[in-house]
């Protein structure tokens, strides 16, 4: 038997009771966030009790999938063996239309280190796309809208 | 809150026997213990005098390794700022009578671990970070801090930001050239003793907007310091360095949870420490500011109130933080050019004390009587300020 090198795998999240619903919806390519019924604030990441007013009266809302780019970085040195063959790539934070900010990757865009602003601008409109990382786990990512 | 200004003094500081790129399998415990031994020697105290231990995390293991049975223990671990925060905690514990001789210690074989232990893999996959940041490659400080810096560039201008970053790293290298313990003096490290602005701009990208020369070193290092009561401090070998004021806080853990990527909790810890100390921004002879990245320094200067938001470029222009400048900063050569084992805060205190005691030779700041240390840790998450002075 020849020994085969296993392909490097990017990290895969493991849900908890507070996030099961989020990841189930992601698997269906739907983005949902938590919203507090008392202070009316949407928030990310999902947790049962509102991190602003500490109310238990919270709900899930489905997102439009649209937002604006809050900031980004172009990763050149792979931070993990899962990205060894996959640099440069764009880490980003997106301000969702619903009013909260989420970490993500910006994809389907040129990451030009000599002139990043040519293709990527803070404040640009973005929309959700999906990466099926495994059969069970899909990650929301964003591309220029 | 009671004002406990001058209720305790730092009486001993030291590094480990050797630091840098060791690759000799020295453990974190050994580096910490060496530094602790040396700090006790510096103070003229014995190990049996120590009744309080302060470290980021492993106080059980460290105290056991040194045979210390503390009656006060503090494992506060909030990133590289922890060791400035420990100064405030030891200060309060001594003022309240919980211990008399506090040992603050830290050692990490940060460089060697890269080879022996392999690269980090991010947080536990069911933690908030492991679910929502790690899968996107938010792994390690350079990436997280770079995104904050990119936001600053958007708000205040890319060119101005870049200028401020270059002023910080170029001036810090000049100080390191005057510190024989700085990594740049180790031929193994192959780091030039000087850095031009062109060297900075031409250094390779780690994560845009960070060049290599925006990022701190990763070394093997240990450090320690001793704090005690005013009564004991006056009878020891070296002049006491008084703690005049301290402040601490944090406002998030993960970078994506940071309320504003362009403002640090230093905006609260600084004024609190300065007020307790009864000093203002113009009184300081030396600034010791955690330089995990160039951006950390410029943001700290703004958040502490030395200049307004977005004004770091104007404040830093013209190498005024370099040797001979009117705002001496990070005279050891900092995390950028002296040493940074993974958490650097303890070395801010060590250098501040040495400067106040007039022990710094070529890099000595003339008439250095009042200084502050500010540590930033985590993902720009935590902050600690300590104001230190001679009699």
């Amino acid at each position: 038997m020849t020994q085969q090198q296993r392909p490097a795998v990017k990290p895969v999240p493991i849900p908890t009771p507070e996030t099961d619903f989020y990841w189930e919806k992601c698997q269906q390519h739907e983005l949902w966030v938590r919203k507090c019924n008392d202070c009316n604030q949407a928030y990310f990441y999902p947790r049962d009790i509102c991190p602003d007013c500490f109310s238990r009266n919270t709900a899930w809302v489905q997102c439009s999938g649209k937002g604006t780019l809050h900031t980004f970085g172009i990763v050149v040195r792979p931070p993990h063996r899962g990205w060894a063959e996959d640099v440069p790539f764009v880490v980003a934070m997106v301000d969702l239309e619903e009013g909260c900010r989420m970490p993500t990757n910006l994809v389907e865009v040129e990451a030009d280190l000599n002139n990043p602003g040519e293709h990527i601008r803070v404040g640009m409109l973005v929309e959700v796309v999906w990466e099926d990382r495994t059969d069970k786990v899909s990650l929301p990512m964003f591309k220029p809208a | 809150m009671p004002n406990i200004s001058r209720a305790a003094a730092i009486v001993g500081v030291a590094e480990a026997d050797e630091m840098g790129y060791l690759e000799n399998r020295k453990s974190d415990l050994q580096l910490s213990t060496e530094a602790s031994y040396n700090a006790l020697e510096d103070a003229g105290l014995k190990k049996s005098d120590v009744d309080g231990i302060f470290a980021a995390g492993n106080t059980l293991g460290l105290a056991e390794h040194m045979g210390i049975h503390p009656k006060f223990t503090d494992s506060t671990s909030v990133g590289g700022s922890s060791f400035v925060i420990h100064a405030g905690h030891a200060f309060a514990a001594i003022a309240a009578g919980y211990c008399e001789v506090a040992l603050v210690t830290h050692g990490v074989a940060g460089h060697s671990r890269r080879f022996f232990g392999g690269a980090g893999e991010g947080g536990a996959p069911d933690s908030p970070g492991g679910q929502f940041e790690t899968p996107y490659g938010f792994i390690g400080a350079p990436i997280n801090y770079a995104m904050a810096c990119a936001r600053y560039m958007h708000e205040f201008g890319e060119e101005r930001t870049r200028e401020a970053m270059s002023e910080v790293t170029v001036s810090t290298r000049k100080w390191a050239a005057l510190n024989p313990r700085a990594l740049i003096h180790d031929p193994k490290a192959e780091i030039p003793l000087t850095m031009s602005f062109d060297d900075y701009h031409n250094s390779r990208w780690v994560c845009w907007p960070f060049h290599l020369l925006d990022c701190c070193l990763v070394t093997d290092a240990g450090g320690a310091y001793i704090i005690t009561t005013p009564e004991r401090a006056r009878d020891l070998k070296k002049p006491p360095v008084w703690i005049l004021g301290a402040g601490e806080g944090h406002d998030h853990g993960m970078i994506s949870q940071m309320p504003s990527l362009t403002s640090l909790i230093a905006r609260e810890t600084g004024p609190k420490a300065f007020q307790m100390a009864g000093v203002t921004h113009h009184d300081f002879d030396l600034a010791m500011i955690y330089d995990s990245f160039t951006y950390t320094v410029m943001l700290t200067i703004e958040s502490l109130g030395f200049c307004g938001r977005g004004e770091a470029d104007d404040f830093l222009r013209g190498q005024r933080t370099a040797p001979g400048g009117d705002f001496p900063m990070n005279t050891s050569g900092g995390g950028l050019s002296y040493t940074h084992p993974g958490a650097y805060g303890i070395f801010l205190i060590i250098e501040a004390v040495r400067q106040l005691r007039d022990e710094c030779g070529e890099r000595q700041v003339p008439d250095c009587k009042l200084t502050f240390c500010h540590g930033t840790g985590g993902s720009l998450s935590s902050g600690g300020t300590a104001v230190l002075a001679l009699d």
Side-chain angles (χ1 to χ4, degrees):
Chain A
M1 290 268 291
T2 55
Q3 197 171 6
Q4 288 198 333
Q5 206 167 7
R6 264 195 305 167
V9 178
K10 290 177 180 144
V12 178
I14 295 177
T16 66
E18 288 188 300
T19 64
D20 281 333
F21 181 88
Y22 175 86
W23 290 113
E24 280 164 22
K25 290 296 180 187
C26 283
Q27 200 185 351
Q28 299 160 29
H29 292 189
E30 291 178 12
L31 182 60
W32 292 66
V33 297
R34 280 291 208 177
K35 187 169 186 178
C36 178
N37 290 326
D38 285 341
C39 70
N40 211 31
Q41 179 68 43
Y43 58 89
F44 198 92
Y45 55 94
R47 55 269 216 200
D48 287 354
I49 300 176
C50 172
D52 285 330
C53 72
F54 224 47
S55 166
R56 287 180 180 274
N57 183 16
T58 55
W60 288 97
V61 292
Q62 186 171 5
C63 299
S64 66
K66 296 188 192 319
T68 55
L69 186 67
H70 184 77
T71 193
F72 70 101
I74 303 175
V75 182
V76 176
R77 196 185 66 181
H80 177 280
R81 56 199 155 78
W83 281 271
E85 310 292 324
D86 205 7
V87 286
F89 70 97
V90 182
V91 286
M93 297 183 210
V94 165
D95 292 322
L96 298 174
E97 255 183 8
E98 289 69 25
C100 53
R101 180 175 309 153
M102 68 176 290
T104 189
N105 292 133
L106 188 68
V107 296
E108 299 180 35
V109 69
E110 196 180 329
D112 179 358
L113 285 156
N114 294 316
N115 189 9
E118 171 105 26
H119 305 282
I120 309 174
R121 284 199 182 87
V122 171
M124 72 196 278
L125 298 176
V126 294
E127 64 186 25
V128 72
V129 291
W130 295 91
E131 179 190 301
D132 299 326
R133 184 149 296 178
T134 68
D135 293 347
K136 295 200 175 75
V137 176
S138 298
L139 295 174
M141 297 189 174
F142 288 80
K143 66 170 187 180
Chain B
M1 206 175 83
N3 190 332
I4 57 170
S5 192
R6 292 179 191 265
I10 304 178
V11 294
V13 297
E15 293 137 315
D17 298 352
E18 50 178 346
M19 309 203 299
Y21 290 174
L22 299 184
E23 293 164 37
N24 59 6
R25 298 172 43 252
K26 277 191 181 178
S27 67
D28 298 356
L29 288 171
Q30 183 175 1
L31 291 163
S32 237
T33 305
E34 285 179 5
S36 303
Y37 184 100
N38 297 339
L40 284 165
E41 285 268 292
D42 187 56
L45 284 164
K46 297 191 299 293
K47 191 254 289 186
S48 54
D49 294 317
V50 175
D51 61 357
I53 187 163
F54 297 71
N58 190 20
T59 42
L60 280 180
L62 284 162
E64 174 185 87
H65 207 71
M66 297 183 230
I68 292 168
H69 302 177
K71 64 181 191 193
F72 193 90
T73 182
D74 175 4
S75 313
T76 300
S77 181
V78 291
S81 59
S82 300
F83 314 94
V84 179
I85 291 173
H86 291 145
H89 289 187
F91 177 43
I94 287 166
Y98 287 109
C99 60
E100 273 192 30
V101 177
L103 166 66
V104 184
T105 181
H106 181 61
V108 173
H111 171 76
S112 296
R113 186 166 302 148
R114 289 170 132 187
F115 302 101
F116 304 137
E121 303 273 310
D126 63 349
S127 67
Q131 290 185 69
F132 299 104
E133 287 196 345
T134 311
Y136 297 106
F138 287 39
I139 301 172
I143 290 173
N144 293 332
Y145 283 58
M147 281 185 282
C149 183
R151 179 70 197 184
Y152 184 99
M153 287 178 161
H154 168 74
E155 290 181 14
F156 302 111
E158 182 172 340
E159 213 168 303
R160 285 172 57 78
T161 313
R162 186 64 71 190
E163 272 177 22
M165 293 158 83
S166 66
E167 293 282 358
V168 170
T169 193
V170 169
S171 68
T172 307
R173 179 64 57 86
K174 291 176 185 166
W175 286 113
L178 305 177
N179 180 3
R181 305 227 37 183
L183 181 72
I184 61 168
H185 296 282
D186 178 355
K188 261 206 313 280
E190 296 181 354
I191 299 172
L193 288 173
T194 59
M195 185 199 302
S196 68
F197 284 91
D198 280 346
D199 292 337
Y200 165 71
H201 291 292
N202 294 329
S203 67
R204 65 180 163 83
W205 295 110
V206 172
C207 175
W208 185 94
F210 285 165
H211 287 286
L212 178 69
L213 295 178
D214 286 305
C215 306
C216 66
L217 306 167
V218 182
T219 61
D220 306 313
Y225 60 88
I226 315 287
I227 302 184
T228 192
T229 60
E231 297 71 36
R232 294 185 77 143
R234 295 202 183 277
D235 293 335
L236 295 173
K237 265 163 73 176
K238 302 273 181 85
V241 167
W242 300 101
I243 302 178
L244 266 52
E248 68 180 75
H250 44 82
D251 61 7
H252 66 285
M254 295 151 62
I255 193 69
S256 61
Q257 297 287 308
M258 188 167 176
S260 162
L261 295 171
T262 61
S263 173
L264 292 174
I265 195 71
R267 67 190 171 268
E268 294 174 21
T269 69
K272 186 180 157 198
F274 296 173
Q275 190 189 3
M276 186 189 290
V279 300
T280 68
H281 295 86
H282 302 289
D283 297 333
F284 294 107
D285 302 308
L286 165 68
M288 292 299 301
I289 296 176
Y290 199 120
D291 54 345
S292 45
F293 299 91
T294 51
Y295 176 62
T296 317
V297 176
M298 48 187 287
L299 202 56
T300 304
I301 286 173
E302 291 183 10
S303 296
L304 287 174
F306 283 92
C307 62
R309 292 187 73 181
E311 293 175 2
D313 175 38
D314 307 307
F315 186 85
L316 291 163
R317 196 170 297 154
Q319 290 292 285
R320 60 188 293 227
T321 58
D326 69 337
F327 191 83
M329 178 181 80
N330 295 346
T331 51
S332 60
L336 291 167
S337 285
Y338 149 63
T339 204
H340 190 299
Y344 162 79
I346 205 154
F347 299 100
L348 296 169
I349 301 270
I350 292 170
E351 177 70 4
V353 169
R354 286 178 174 161
Q355 284 285 355
L356 290 167
R357 289 175 177 173
D358 197 12
E359 293 176 344
C360 288
E362 268 195 284
R363 66 179 193 280
Q364 180 63 45
V365 172
D367 275 333
C368 186
K369 296 199 166 58
L370 179 72
T371 180
F372 73 91
C373 300
H374 184 87
T376 298
S379 295
L380 294 164
S381 319
S382 63
T385 312
V387 178
L388 306 178
L390 285 177
D391 265 330

